[in-house]
Amino acid sequence: MDKNFQGQESAQVVKFTPPLYKQRYQFVKDLVEKYKPEKVADLGCADCRLLWMLKFCSCIEVLAGLDISASVMKEKMHTLSPLPVDYLWPSERSLTITLYHGSVAHKDPCMLGFDLVTCMELIEHLEESELKKFPEVVFGFMAPSIVVISTPNSEFNPLLPGVKLHRHPDHKFEWSQAEFQSWALEAARCYDYSVEFTGVGHPPTGMENVGFCTQIGVFIRKYPQTGESVQSVKPTEAVYKTVFKAVYPSLKDEKYLQNAVVSEVIFTAQIIRNLLMSQHEEEEEEEDPEGKCKFQASVDFFSDHLGKVVVDKSMEPFVNGNEVYIPLETIFSFPKVNRLCGNFEKLCKLIAGKVTLSSDGSAVMLSTEHE
Ligand code: SAH
C-alpha cells in the first residue's frame, strides 16, 4: 500500500495522509525550494492558505494572489499581515504580499515580472470562454519562467467514495490524464514552454495506470526574458482591484536597519560594560595583576556565543568616573553589528544622534551603573 493512500478496494473509504490539498501545497513548496523564485503569484488563491505557507520561504520577496471571489480571499487575508515579532526582528529580506480581485481571463500589468505562477485546482473552475483565454494570459502575457498547474484526474474518481460526475459542484469539467496532457502540451507548444507531468495522491498498488489523484503539469519557459523588457513591450490597462497589501518590515529599509543597529550597539556595549564592571569588582576584592587580560578572557568567552571578536589594545574600553567608554571600533568588531552595517562609516551614520557618544565620537558612553 502506498504511504499516502489508505483504502482497501476501489469505492471504499479513501484517505490521503497528509490530506491531498496539503500534498499539493507541499509540492509547490518543494518547487520553490528547488528553483528559488523571488516573485510568486498564486492564481485562484481562494482563502490564501498556499500564500500563507509561501510567506515563510526566505527566497520570496514578492507574493501575489488573484481570485475572482473577493469574499473568499478576505476570509483569512489577515493571516498574511506582519506579526509584532516581524517588527521586533525585521527580516533581512523584503517581502510584499498583495491580493488582487480579478479574473485569469483578463490581463493586468500587475501580473508581469513573476518567476513562478501557481494555478492549483483552478482550471476546472473556469468557464469554457475563460479557459480559452487562460493560456494567452498566463503563458503569453504573464510569461513567468515557471508555471505549475494542478487539476483533478477524472480516472481516479471511481476510487473516491461519493463522487458521481465531478469532485466539486463548481467544477466545469474534470479531465483524464490524456485530456490534461494534450491541452497542456498544446499550450506549451504555442507559448514556447516545456512541460513535465507528475502529481500527488498515489493510486493504490496494482492500479498504477489510474494515475495520481491530482495531476500536475510543471511548465518551464524555454526562452529568457527580463522584467524591464516585459513592462515596455506589453502596455496594458490595469483591471484588477487591490484588496490587500502588506509590506513586511525589512532591514533593507533604512529605518528598520537603524533601529536594529542602535539596539545591537547598545546591547553589545552593555555586555562589554557588565564584563568590565564585574572585573573591576573582583579586582577590588583581590588585587589582580592581570586585570586587563581577564577582561580579554571574558570577551573571548562571549565571542564563542556572538561570533569571533577581535579586540586590539587600542580598542579596549575603560572607566572614567561614573562613565564607561566603549570604543566604536570594538563594537564594530562584533559580527552581528559588523554584518548589519557593512562598514564603519555606516555604523557611525546610523547611530548618530541615537546613542550617547564621547565628545570625539569614537566611543559609546554608558553609566557604570547596571540599568
Ligand atoms: N488554489 C486554491 C483554491 C482552488 S478553488 C487551492 O488549491 O486550494 C478555485 C478558486 O479559483 C476559487 O477560489 C475560485 O473563486 C477561483 N476562480 C474561479 N474562477 C476564477 C477566475 N476566472 N479567475 C480567478 N480565480 C478564479
Side-chain angles (χ1 to χ4, degrees):
M1 186 86 56
D2 289 289
K3 64 179 187 331
N4 67 358
F5 179 87
Q6 294 163 3
Q8 287 129 32
E9 296 294 321
S10 67
Q12 292 204 5
V13 177
V14 175
K15 202 176 157 210
F16 288 104
T17 320
L20 209 53
Y21 77 93
K22 284 198 179 162
Q23 293 190 36
R24 285 194 289 267
Y25 296 168
Q26 189 57 47
F27 181 89
V28 173
K29 233 182 153 195
D30 292 344
L31 214 60
V32 167
E33 296 306 331
K34 183 174 171 193
Y35 291 103
K36 309 248 176 277
E38 274 181 25
K39 299 181 178 184
V40 180
D42 184 28
L43 311 184
C45 63
D47 61 4
C48 311
R49 263 197 248 195
L50 177 60
L51 291 170
W52 181 83
M53 261 178 86
L54 294 179
K55 88 179 182 120
F56 298 100
C57 297
S58 58
C59 60
I60 298 178
E61 301 203 339
V62 175
L63 260 180
L66 170 72
D67 205 287
I68 202 158
S69 166
S71 57
V72 121
M73 269 192 297
K74 284 177 180 171
E75 269 171 33
K76 293 202 182 118
M77 68 182 183
H78 61 274
T79 62
L80 300 176
S81 297
L83 299 169
V85 70
D86 294 312
Y87 289 97
L88 275 175
W89 288 288
S91 164
E92 284 188 29
R93 65 145 170 181
S94 59
L95 175 63
T96 303
I97 306 179
T98 316
L99 296 179
Y100 299 101
H101 178 215
S103 170
V104 289
H106 299 138
K107 299 173 183 175
D108 187 297
C110 71
M111 282 293 152
L112 294 174
F114 283 88
D115 305 305
L116 169 65
V117 167
T118 58
C119 312
M120 308 308 283
E121 307 297 278
L122 166 68
I123 57 172
E124 66 275 10
H125 290 265
L126 302 180
E127 301 285 354
E128 206 180 324
S129 60
E130 296 175 314
L131 184 68
K132 238 179 170 171
K133 291 177 185 154
F134 176 87
E136 167 54 22
V137 175
V138 175
F139 298 105
F141 177 73
M142 298 182 193
S145 21
I146 308 165
V147 178
V148 53
I149 297 180
S150 83
T151 194
N153 165 17
S154 63
E155 290 164 76
F156 203 101
N157 285 358
L159 300 177
L160 300 171
V163 172
K164 298 241 155 47
L165 178 63
H166 293 148
R167 293 181 195 176
H168 190 279
D170 189 51
H171 288 181
K172 309 299 184 294
F173 60 88
E174 284 177 4
W175 279 336
S176 66
Q177 295 172 86
E179 286 170 320
F180 175 53
Q181 291 182 15
S182 91
W183 175 85
L185 284 165
E186 179 57 12
R189 191 192 60 76
C190 268
Y191 296 97
D192 210 8
Y193 278 73
S194 65
V195 55
E196 278 187 16
F197 298 101
T198 177
V200 292
H202 283 269
T205 311
M207 304 185 79
E208 285 75 12
N209 58 341
V210 162
F212 291 103
C213 188
T214 294
Q215 44 186 342
I216 299 177
V218 179
F219 301 74
I220 310 277
R221 199 186 57 217
K222 288 190 192 165
Y223 59 95
Q225 195 173 46
T226 62
E228 298 79 47
S229 66
V230 172
Q231 302 273 358
S232 56
V233 173
K234 297 174 175 169
T236 318
E237 237 180 87
V239 288
Y240 298 165
K241 197 170 158 242
T242 303
V243 292
F244 173 90
K245 185 164 181 165
V247 180
Y248 277 64
S250 158
L251 295 175
K252 285 189 179 149
D253 180 332
E254 192 89 352
K255 82 170 181 270
Y256 291 112
L257 177 66
Q258 183 174 49
N259 277 345
V261 168
V262 168
S263 305
E264 198 58 33
V265 163
I266 293 172
F267 173 71
T268 307
Q270 285 173 342
I271 287 181
I272 297 175
R273 187 265 319 272
N274 296 349
L275 284 171
L276 194 65
M277 296 319 293
S278 54
Q279 174 214 326
H280 265 247
E281 280 165 22
E282 276 179 38
E283 274 173 10
E284 273 170 19
E285 281 169 21
E286 48 173 292
E287 206 57 43
D288 182 1
E290 290 176 80
K292 285 199 165 170
C293 297
K294 253 172 103 188
F295 172 73
Q296 181 63 62
S298 306
V299 171
D300 283 346
F301 168 77
F302 265 93
S303 74
D304 289 343
H305 299 274
L306 301 170
K308 193 78 203 107
V309 185
V310 186
V311 182
D312 84 28
K313 290 266 176 259
S314 66
M315 288 156 63
E316 280 182 14
F318 61 92
V319 181
N320 186 7
N322 291 331
E323 312 285 1
V324 185
Y325 290 77
I326 302 132
L328 277 178
E329 294 271 6
T330 309
I331 291 171
F332 183 64
S333 68
F334 276 70
K336 193 154 177 208
V337 178
N338 196 294
R339 191 165 45 81
L340 280 170
C341 304
N343 61 60
F344 189 72
E345 288 65 41
K346 183 96 193 219
L347 167 67
C348 298
K349 188 177 157 234
L350 287 169
I351 64 169
K354 302 273 176 189
V355 176
T356 311
L357 297 177
S358 57
S359 53
D360 67 352
S362 70
V364 172
M365 270 170 71
L366 286 181
S367 154
T368 51
E369 300 297 320
H370 283 235
E371 279 135 35

